Amino acid sequence: QRVVPAMMLFEGVRDQLEKDGLLRPIARNTDHIWQQMTSEHFMEYLNSEKLFMRAHREYDDYDEKKLLSYIDTCYVLPSDNSDRKSLEERLNQLEKRMYISCWYSSEDLSDMVFREYSKNGIALGTDVGQLIHCLNKFLSSDEGKEFAKDRFYVGNVQYVYHQQLVKDHIFENTQVVCPMFLKGIQFKVDSEFRVCIFRKEGAGENPSILVGKIPPRCLIRRVAFRADREHLEEAERLEKMKKNAAAGGGGGSMNPEKADDGTVDSGTPEPVRETIKRTEMEIATENLESLSVDIKADQAMKITITERARAGCAGKTAKIVETVDISLMKTLESNLKKVGLEFAPGIDGKDYREENGFIIYELRERNA
C-alpha cells in the first residue's frame, strides 16, 4: 500500500511545507531510487537474492523516533484521553513487529549520502515501480507465503519541522503507519523512499529480517561508484580492453610461469605450482576460462582462481590456488553476468557515463 503523509497533513502544516519547498509528492513508478551499501553487502545480495530490512526499534531515538513518541502529535484521541492506554499498548506491540528498508530517491546521487551509507562502496539503482513489482511478485510466490499476512507500505518520507513533530497536531487524517514516513527536517538530505513492513503477530522479534526471493535480474536497473581517480582509470581501462577484444586484439596477457617453491616429499610427483602474471583490469573472464580455471568471487570482491587438470600435466598434480586483487568493476561485471545482467552501452557506445561525480552503469538483461 502506498503511503502519502503529505496528503494527510493539516492544511496549515501542508501549506507551510509547500511554501518552503519541503512538501514531497507521491512516489511515482518512474522515480529513481538507490540503495547505497558496501561492496560486501552488494555481493551478499547477489548471492542470497534477499533484501535486508532492519527492525525499527534497533535505531536510536535521534535517527528514528518510536511510534509511541507520536501519540500526541499524530493520533486523534478523545478529549478525556479514554483510549490513550489502549493506543499506547497497540503502538508498543506494532513497534516490535516493524521493519524498514531505506532508499535514496533522486535522479542524481549525493556524495555526502553515498559516503555515509556505502563507505565508498556501491549504489544499487532501480525504479519505484520495479521495486514494487518485485515485492508483489515475491509475495504471490510460494517463497512469499511466510509474509502473506504481513502489511507492506511504501512511500516517500516527509520531512517536517521539529516544532511540528513534538508539539503541533499535524495529521488531519492518519493511519497507524503514517508516522513511520515522517522525519525531522535535519534529515532532508537523505531524500528517502521507504519500504515498511508490519509483521503478523507471532512472527518473532528479530533485529533484522531478509525478504526475498528478489532476483537481481528483476530488481537492478543501474549501479554506481564514486568517480574518484582510481575508479575512473579502471572504467577507462575496462572500456579499452573491451574495444581491443572486439577488434581481435585480445583482452590482456595471461602468461603462467612456474614458481620456485614447489617441493614435496621424496617419491611423490612434484606439483606444478604456477602464479599468474597480470595487471589490474587486464584479467578478463574469457582469458581465465581459456586456461581452464575456476573463478569464484568472495564477499571482499576478490577472486580465488583454481586451475583444473589439463592436457600436458600427466603424472603431476596440476593445481594453482591464488587469491588476487582484481578490479572492482571487472569483478562486478563477471558476477552480474552470473545473475543474468550486463552493462548496457550508452548512446556514445560506452558502457558507463560520468555524472555529478559518479560513474554510472545502466544494466540490461543479457541477450535482451
Side-chain angles (χ1 to χ4, degrees), residues 24 28-34 36 104-110 123 125-128 191 222 224 353 355-356 358 360 362:
R24 301 192 70 199
R28 300 167 298 179
N29 284 342
T30 55
D31 287 352
H32 285 199
I33 53 175
W34 304 84
Q36 295 146 129
Y104 179 73
S105 176
S106 178
E107 293 284 331
D108 302 316
L109 284 161
S110 160
T126 189
D127 305 322
V128 166
S191 187
R222 56 199 65 88
R353 68 181 186 275
E355 196 170 274
N356 297 321
F358 288 88
I360 300 174
E362 294 290 335

Side-chain angles (χ1 to χ4, degrees), residues 38-53:
T38 63
S39 300
E40 291 82 1
H41 287 157
F42 182 77
M43 289 297 295
E44 287 175 5
Y45 166 64
L46 290 186
N47 290 325
S48 71
E49 301 189 346
K50 296 178 184 294
L51 290 182
F52 174 85
M53 299 191 73

Side-chain angles (χ1 to χ4, degrees), residues 31-306:
D31 287 352
H32 285 199
I33 53 175
W34 304 84
Q35 193 160 88
Q36 295 146 129
M37 61 191 73
T38 63
S39 300
E40 291 82 1
H41 287 157
F42 182 77
M43 289 297 295
E44 287 175 5
Y45 166 64
L46 290 186
N47 290 325
S48 71
E49 301 189 346
K50 296 178 184 294
L51 290 182
F52 174 85
M53 299 191 73
R54 189 178 181 185
H56 189 261
R57 65 183 181 279
E58 293 295 314
Y59 291 90
D60 62 43
D61 285 338
Y62 179 77
D63 290 332
E64 294 285 342
K65 292 183 177 295
K66 302 299 184 283
L67 274 175
L68 196 59
S69 67
Y70 293 104
I71 195 166
D72 292 316
T73 58
C74 294
Y75 301 106
V76 178
L77 290 167
S79 57
D80 61 356
N81 270 349
S82 58
D83 292 337
R84 187 181 184 90
K85 186 174 181 180
S86 62
L87 179 58
E88 288 177 349
E89 291 175 355
R90 184 185 179 197
L91 294 179
N92 279 327
Q93 288 301 314
L94 287 173
E95 185 76 53
K96 296 176 182 179
R97 309 200 308 269
M98 182 168 56
Y99 298 83
I100 58 175
S101 174
C102 306
W103 299 71
Y104 179 73
S105 176
S106 178
E107 293 284 331
D108 302 316
L109 284 161
S110 160
D111 186 73
M112 183 172 69
V113 176
F114 185 84
R115 286 172 180 267
E116 173 70 20
Y117 294 107
S118 77
K119 310 305 179 188
N120 203 24
I122 189 170
L124 177 162
T126 189
D127 305 322
V128 166
Q130 197 62 32
L131 175 58
I132 293 173
H133 167 73
C134 291
L135 287 170
N136 283 332
K137 190 173 182 179
F138 163 66
L139 292 172
S140 62
S141 68
D142 290 339
E143 292 96 335
K145 288 181 178 179
E146 176 190 351
F147 296 88
K149 294 183 179 180
D150 298 344
R151 286 175 287 166
F152 282 68
Y153 300 90
V154 299
N156 286 332
V157 169
Q158 176 62 57
Y159 303 100
V160 298
Y161 293 107
H162 178 75
Q163 168 82 10
Q164 296 167 337
L165 274 178
V166 300
K167 293 184 178 180
D168 296 342
H169 193 84
I170 61 176
F171 280 124
E172 182 176 17
N173 180 23
T174 187
Q175 302 172 359
V176 170
V177 72
C178 275
M180 290 304 91
F181 290 82
L182 287 182
K183 293 191 77 170
I185 204 72
Q186 69 270 29
F187 295 106
K188 69 175 182 177
V189 68
D190 289 345
S191 187
E192 187 181 337
F193 173 87
R194 169 172 293 192
V195 179
C196 178
I197 300 179
F198 282 122
R199 299 233 58 196
K200 59 183 177 292
E201 291 186 29
E205 299 177 14
N206 301 306
S208 64
I209 58 174
L210 294 174
V211 178
K213 190 174 182 178
I214 309 291
R217 185 169 181 167
C218 175
L219 179 65
I220 307 176
R221 288 295 173 264
R222 56 199 65 88
V223 292
F225 308 87
R226 285 187 67 248
D228 54 27
R229 180 178 178 181
E230 179 184 357
H231 285 152
L232 276 173
E233 289 177 351
E234 288 181 0
E236 290 167 0
R237 285 198 294 266
L238 179 58
E239 197 72 32
K240 184 177 180 180
M241 184 179 69
K242 287 185 175 181
K243 288 180 179 179
N244 288 342
S253 64
M254 291 289 294
N255 301 317
E257 64 176 29
K258 286 187 179 181
D260 57 8
D261 59 350
T263 57
V264 292
D265 293 337
S266 177
T268 304
E270 181 177 300
V272 178
R273 292 181 57 86
E274 299 173 320
T275 59
I276 294 179
K277 282 186 174 180
R278 50 100 185 142
T279 59
E280 290 270 318
M281 294 299 297
E282 287 184 336
I283 297 181
T285 301
E286 293 77 12
N287 295 96
L288 294 174
E289 289 175 346
S290 71
L291 290 178
S292 300
V293 297
D294 294 328
I295 308 165
K296 181 180 180 182
D298 66 13
Q299 292 178 359
M301 298 302 269
K302 293 184 178 180
I303 285 185
T304 299
I305 303 174
T306 307

